[in-house]
Amino acid sequence: MDNFDIPTAADRTIVYLSFTEKVPVDDYILQYLKSRRLPVNTATVVNLREWIRRMPGKGPLYRGDVDYFFDTNVFKQALRARKGRFA
């Protein structure tokens, strides 16, 4: 296998930030929460870890894909729940 071969069932415990830089999932989640100015606590990290398990596909995790998935799925659901609670 050369550097450009991507295994069909990739390691989903890391997130690729670029072609040469990768971080563990928990580090990525902490970075994501801080970048969105969201509360950083154990419950939120565990929740986002569960959402990563629900991501479609079996390939590697790329920052752009995970950001988009979180932004369009996770927080839409959270906003709906919050609106229902305050409505």
Side-chain angles (χ1 to χ4, degrees), residues 6-12 57-60:
I6 298 174
T8 54
D11 179 8
R12 294 195 126 197
K58 296 181 189 223

Side-chain angles (χ1 to χ4, degrees), residues 1-47:
M1 177 162 63
D2 62 33
N3 291 338
F4 298 104
D5 290 337
I6 298 174
T8 54
D11 179 8
R12 294 195 126 197
T13 62
I14 58 172
V15 176
Y16 289 90
L17 305 179
S18 69
F19 286 112
T20 58
E21 187 179 5
K22 58 187 176 182
V23 296
V25 167
D26 286 348
D27 291 348
Y28 166 78
I29 290 172
L30 294 174
Q31 176 186 353
Y32 177 84
L33 291 170
K34 289 175 186 175
S35 73
R36 299 301 193 271
R37 295 185 178 147
L38 296 167
V40 177
N41 58 51
T42 305
T44 306
V45 171
V46 169
N47 188 23

Side-chain angles (χ1 to χ4, degrees), residues 30-83:
L30 294 174
Q31 176 186 353
Y32 177 84
L33 291 170
K34 289 175 186 175
S35 73
R36 299 301 193 271
R37 295 185 178 147
L38 296 167
V40 177
N41 58 51
T42 305
T44 306
V45 171
V46 169
N47 188 23
L48 290 180
R49 233 188 272 144
E50 179 59 35
W51 274 97
I52 285 179
R53 280 195 268 284
R54 296 180 196 172
M55 281 188 70
K58 296 181 189 223
L61 299 170
Y62 296 104
R63 177 178 57 192
D65 297 337
V66 180
D67 283 351
Y68 181 78
F69 182 75
F70 282 170
D71 291 342
T72 59
N73 292 287
V74 178
F75 293 103
K76 269 188 182 177
Q77 186 182 54
L79 285 174
R80 268 191 238 121
R82 187 177 295 161
K83 284 181 183 176

